[in-house]
C-alpha cells in the first residue's frame, strides 16, 4: 500500500472517530464526561465562633458593628471601673483627705492628707460635719502690698483689696499669719511659729 493510501485511510478513520462511528476493527472509545460549564457556587464560609472578653460579654463584629446593646454596655462598664465613693462624714479637718482620681475630698484614711497652703494647692477641710474642698490658685503680685490673708473657709493668700488690705504689724505680737510677694511674683502665706502665752 502506498504512503498516500495510508494517509487517506488514517484521515478517514480520524473523521469517523470524530463523528462518533468507530473505525473498523477498533472498539469504541469510552464516553468522556462533559466538561463543567460553570463552577459550582461556593458555599459561604461558616461564621467564626463568638469571642468572649472574659467577663461574659460577646464582642460585636468589627465590620458590622452590630451586637447586643445591653451586652456592649456591660462590657463598657467592666472595662471602665466605677469611681469609688468615699465617706465624707468628719469631725475635724484632719479627718479629710484628697482623692486625685475623683478630684474631691473624703474621710477615708487612705486618701492623701494635704499640707497647709502657702501659695497654691488643695485644702480639704471639715465643714458642717462633711469634708469640703478649697482649691487655691496662685495670686500674682508686684509687691507685698498686693497680698493679704483670707481666713475663710481656711487660711490662704488672696489679692489685697480695700476691704481686706495687706496686714501690718509685727509677727507674733500683732500677727499670727502674714503674706509677702516672693521673687516668683506670687503671694505667699506665712504662718509664724509663735510661743503660746
Amino acid at each position: 500500500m502506498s504512503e498516500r493510501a495510508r494517509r487517506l485511510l488514517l484521515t478517514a478513520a480520524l473523521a469517523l472517530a470524530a463523528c462518533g462511528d468507530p473505525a473498523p476493527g477498533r472498539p469504541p472509545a469510552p464516553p468522556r464526561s462533559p466538561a463543567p460549564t460553570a463552577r459550582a457556587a461556593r458555599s459561604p464560609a461558616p461564621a467564626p465562633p463568638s469571642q468572649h472578653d472574659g467577663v461574659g460579654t460577646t464582642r460585636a463584629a468589627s465590620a458590622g458593628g452590630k451586637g447586643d446593646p445591653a451586652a456592649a454596655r456591660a462590657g463598657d462598664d467592666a472595662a471602665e471601673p466605677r469611681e469609688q465613693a468615699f465617706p465624707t462624714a468628719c469631725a475635724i479637718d484632719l479627718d479629710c483627705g484628697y482623692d486625685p482620681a475623683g478630684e474631691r475630698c473624703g474621710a477615708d484614711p487612705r486618701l492623701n492628707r494635704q499640707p497647709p497652703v502657702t501659695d497654691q494647692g488643695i485644702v480639704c477641710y471639715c465643714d458642717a460635719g462633711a469634708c469640703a474642698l478649697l482649691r487655691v490658685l496662685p495670686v500674682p503680685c508686684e509687691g507685698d502690698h498686693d497680698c493679704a490673708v483670707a481666713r475663710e473657709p481656711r487660711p490662704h493668700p488672696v489679692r489685697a483689696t480695700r476691704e481686706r488690705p495687706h496686714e501690718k504689724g509685727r509677727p507674733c505680737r500683732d500677727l499670727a499669719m502674714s503674706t509677702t510677694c516672693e521673687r516668683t511674683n506670687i503671694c505667699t502665706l506665712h504662718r509664724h511659729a509663735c510661743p503660746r502665752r
Side-chain angles (χ1 to χ4, degrees), residues 9-69:
L9 285 175
L10 183 57
T11 303
L14 291 175
L16 288 174
C19 294
D21 295 335
R26 292 185 181 178
R32 296 181 180 178
S33 60
T37 57
R39 295 183 179 177
R42 296 183 179 178
S43 59
S50 61
Q51 298 177 351
H52 295 277
D53 58 7
V55 293
T57 58
T58 304
R59 297 178 183 172
S62 60
K66 296 179 180 179
D68 184 7

Side-chain angles (χ1 to χ4, degrees), residues 69-180:
R73 286 194 298 271
D76 292 343
D77 292 343
E80 299 178 1
R82 297 178 180 175
E83 291 185 1
Q84 185 177 1
F86 292 105
T88 59
C90 60
I92 57 174
D93 289 353
L94 293 177
D95 293 338
C96 301
Y98 183 63
D99 172 25
E103 296 184 352
R104 56 190 173 183
C105 294
D108 194 290
R110 295 172 295 178
L111 298 180
N112 300 330
R113 267 49 187 176
Q114 302 298 307
V117 168
T118 57
D119 52 8
Q120 58 187 305
I122 298 292
V123 179
C124 288
Y125 63 99
C126 187
D127 181 33
C131 292
L133 182 144
L134 170 66
R135 191 181 301 272
V136 179
L137 300 178
V139 180
C141 58
E142 295 181 359
D144 291 349
H145 59 277
D146 291 331
C147 305
V149 177
R151 297 180 178 272
E152 298 297 332
R154 293 297 182 269
H156 61 282
V158 295
R159 186 164 185 82
T161 62
R162 183 175 297 178
E163 294 75 20
R164 185 187 284 124
H166 177 69
E167 57 283 344
K168 296 178 180 179
R170 288 181 292 180
C172 294
R173 180 174 177 177
D174 304 314
L175 305 169
M177 290 182 286
S178 62
T179 54
T180 57

Side-chain angles (χ1 to χ4, degrees), residues 2-14:
S2 65
E3 185 66 27
R4 185 176 182 183
R6 286 180 183 176
R7 289 181 180 176
L8 288 174
L9 285 175
L10 183 57
T11 303
L14 291 175

